[in-house]
């Protein structure tokens, strides 16, 4: 039995986060609206209406084209009608782009979990409108037109993935990139990032592919991974049994974790594409592209590499701190006022700040505690003005109140106690009150010293200088 490899390409539909829809003034995001309340004659395709192109859609699409290193953002591209009959498509056609799309060629690099980078070729990027939604309800089919005319870009990759894991990795990176450049919220559960996977197999070493199938409507990255794995196994079983793989469109069923045949795949001819007569071509001037390029932020992989280079952070830290743009900006802003090893700030962010961010389900940029305040707080721990545990509490207090760490430390008297006389007195009391523990220590179990440190920390509300306490305790216990 030959070994097989899978050859996978992804088509993603990305919902742009513009205020209004692509061809009318209805708002684009109606996730929370009642069905059919965010519609007008244009997006429901009533007779006699004309579409007007939303400029913000083109701008956001160009931003993405530049971020995916497009070989060319076409100076002129055209809309086309993609004709098909489906209840949630009221016009009977979708306004899309066909053989003259907005951008052609390009690539997105994805770091692989085992190291190294895989370059995924992007074949094309085009603009189109979304269709409505069909909702199943007790055996009835209901239609919600709210989503009609929501702006989408469709991105098609080359057949460059060799495993479901690589495809999943790509989606993680794409989602990161889309949020980073601010053109889409890319929430898969809300359908803002949708993925169809073209899957085929071939014996390893061969260039002859078996027929491919397309899996549609997969609504999470984990499901994309699972669906591709299931489909690859199904195709191998078919081929091994001497059957031919049919060119099907498949539906992923999340509950049974199986793929189901939806229909035989349409061919291009079925769509009877022709140029959209109601819209002018999109003309993009070089000057505008240069302007957009200038405003493009440093992209995640470049920033990650720079964090390693400039701040000497470990790859691991740099990776985590560039997961999201405002987090990476938070780090840099904190470092700009911090005097010391950047790794210390990185640790605080990864261990403490990010926990806070996750708990509150916000972005770093939405925190009350400002980067400068975090830097000040860490500085106080580093210079031993406060203890590490006071620092952690202080973090919460600054986040709650917005007050500067120094002020809170002063007004609440949180400064580290390094007063040797006072600490010695507390240590003496603890020792005389606990003869059993002293005996244990004397009996050779020196780890019990940690228990004594804990008692003193309790007495001082965590403010005692732990190193000093240790040395005082050792001295007193050895004499006891
Ligand atoms: Zn409308
Ligand atoms: Mn499409």
């Amino acid at each position: 039995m030959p070994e097989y490899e899978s050859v996978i390409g992804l088509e993603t539909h990305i919902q742009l986060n513009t205020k209004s829809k692509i061809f009318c003034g209805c708002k684009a995001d109606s996730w929370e609206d009642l069905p059919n309340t965010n519609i007008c004659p244009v997006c429901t395709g009533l007779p006699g209406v004309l579409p007007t192109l939303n400029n913000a859609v083109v701008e956001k699409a160009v931003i993405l084209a530049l971020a995916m290193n497009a070989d060319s953002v076409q100076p002129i591209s055209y809309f086309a009608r993609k004709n098909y009959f489906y209840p949630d498509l009221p016009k009977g056609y979708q306004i899309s782009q066909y053989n003259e799309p907005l951008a052609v060629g390009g690539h997105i690099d994805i770091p692989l979990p085992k190291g190294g980078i895989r370059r995924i070729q992007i074949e094309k990027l085009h603009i189109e409108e979304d269709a409505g939604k069909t909702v199943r309800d007790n055996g009835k089919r209901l239609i919600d037109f709210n989503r009609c005319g929501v702006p989408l870009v469709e991105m098609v990759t080359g057949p460059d993935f060799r495993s479901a894991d690589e495809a999943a990795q790509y989606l993680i990176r794409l989602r990161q990139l889309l949020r980073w450049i601010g053109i889409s919220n890319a929430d898969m559960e809300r359908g803002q990032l949708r993925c169809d996977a073209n899957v085929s197999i071939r014996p390893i070493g061969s260039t002859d592919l078996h027929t491919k199938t397309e899996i549609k409507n997969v609504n999470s990255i984990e499901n994309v991974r699972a669906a591709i794995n299931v489909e690859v196994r199904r195709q191998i079983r078919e081929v091994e049994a001497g059957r031919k793989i049919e060119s099907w469109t498949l539906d992923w069923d999340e509950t049974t974790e199986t793929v189901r045949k939806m229909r035989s795949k349409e061919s291009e001819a079925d769509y009877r594409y022709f140029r959209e007569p109601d819209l002018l071509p999109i003309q993009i001037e070089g000057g505008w592209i240069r302007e957009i390029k200038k405003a493009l932020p440093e992209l995640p992989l470049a920033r990650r590499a720079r964090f390693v280079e400039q701040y000497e952070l470990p790859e691991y830290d740099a990776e985590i701190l560039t997961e999201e743009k405002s987090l990476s900006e938070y780090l840099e802003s904190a470092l700009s006022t911090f005097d010391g090893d950047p790794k210390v700030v990185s640790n605080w962010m990864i261990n403490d700040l990010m926990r806070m961010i996750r708990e509150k389900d916000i972005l770093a940029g939405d925190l009350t505690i400002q980067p400068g305040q975090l830097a000040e707080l860490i500085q106080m721990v580093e210079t031993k003005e406060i203890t590490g545990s006071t620092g952690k509490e202080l973090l919460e207090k600054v986040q709650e109140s917005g007050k500067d760490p120094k002020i809170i430390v002063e007004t609440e008297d949180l400064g580290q106690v390094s007063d040797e006389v006072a600490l010695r007195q507390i240590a003496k009391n603890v020792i005389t009150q606990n003869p059993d523990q002293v005996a244990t220590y004397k009996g050779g179990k020196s780890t019990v010293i940690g228990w004594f440190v804990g008692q003193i920390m309790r007495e001082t509300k965590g403010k005692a200088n732990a190193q000093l306490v240790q040395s005082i305790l050792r001295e007193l216990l050895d004499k006891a």
Side-chain angles (χ1 to χ4, degrees), residues 21 24-26 38-44 148:
K21 291 185 180 179
C24 63
C26 295
N38 183 37
I39 53 176
C40 75
V42 173
C43 54
T44 49
C148 283

Side-chain angles (χ1 to χ4, degrees), residues 75-88:
I76 297 190
S77 65
Y78 295 87
F79 284 107
R81 286 190 184 181
K82 182 180 184 179
N83 297 279
Y84 62 96
F85 181 76
Y86 204 73
D88 61 21

Side-chain angles (χ1 to χ4, degrees), residues 13 82 94 96 126 128 152 154:
H13 283 89
K82 182 180 184 179
Q94 177 192 26
S96 180
H126 75 239
E128 63 186 25
L152 300 178
E154 181 180 322

Side-chain angles (χ1 to χ4, degrees), residues 436-446 448 476-480:
D436 290 355
Q437 311 291 346
V438 176
T440 312
Y441 180 82
K442 289 284 181 194
K445 206 176 164 214
S446 59
V448 79
L476 293 177
L477 283 169
D478 288 342
K479 281 197 302 201

Side-chain angles (χ1 to χ4, degrees), residues 257-403:
E257 303 220 322
T258 51
V259 289
R260 236 184 4 221
K261 181 186 172 187
M262 274 165 77
R263 54 179 187 254
S264 300
K265 203 168 161 32
E266 296 90 344
S267 71
E268 298 271 280
D270 293 331
Y271 290 125
R272 292 159 290 128
Y273 278 101
F274 61 90
R275 266 196 203 165
E276 168 59 60
D278 289 343
L279 286 160
L280 291 167
I282 303 176
Q283 281 196 46
I284 300 177
E285 279 165 13
W288 193 43
I289 295 178
R290 280 192 295 278
E291 245 175 66
I292 294 175
K293 198 169 206 160
K294 248 206 288 182
L296 206 65
E298 183 181 37
L299 297 179
L301 284 191
R303 186 160 294 175
R304 186 177 89 150
R306 185 168 60 76
F307 279 5
V308 172
E309 171 85 23
Q310 186 177 342
Y311 303 121
E312 295 178 1
L313 291 177
E315 290 270 356
Y316 173 84
D317 292 40
E319 166 65 20
I320 292 179
L321 293 168
T322 52
E323 260 171 26
E324 187 266 312
K325 182 152 147 272
S326 80
L327 187 67
S328 69
E329 287 164 351
Y330 198 104
L331 172 77
E332 292 215 276
S333 177
L335 287 178
S336 71
T337 58
F338 181 76
D339 183 19
D341 183 357
K343 174 71 175 128
V344 176
V345 176
S346 169
N347 289 346
W348 274 87
M349 285 190 62
I350 291 172
N351 299 328
D352 302 289
L353 206 73
M354 287 184 69
R355 182 184 42 75
M356 206 176 224
I357 289 168
R358 270 194 304 275
E359 276 169 16
K360 297 184 192 305
D361 193 20
I362 56 174
L363 296 180
D366 301 325
L367 284 165
T368 306
I369 178 166
Q370 295 302 300
Q373 294 175 317
L374 178 71
E376 185 183 296
L377 184 158
I378 301 172
Q379 203 89 62
M380 281 194 282
V381 176
E382 289 296 289
T383 54
K384 309 223 182 313
E385 278 174 67
I386 56 173
T387 65
S389 68
T390 302
K392 314 244 153 167
E393 275 172 48
L394 190 55
L395 191 73
E396 303 283 343
K397 288 181 174 170
V398 178
Q399 172 61 24
E400 268 163 42
S401 67
K403 287 184 193 145

Side-chain angles (χ1 to χ4, degrees), residues 14-33:
I14 298 150
Q15 185 179 318
L16 299 175
N17 58 2
T18 53
K19 284 203 180 67
S20 55
K21 291 185 180 179
I22 183 167
F23 299 125
C24 63
C26 295
K27 71 182 154 67
D29 179 17
S30 53
W31 179 256
E32 276 155 11
D33 294 343

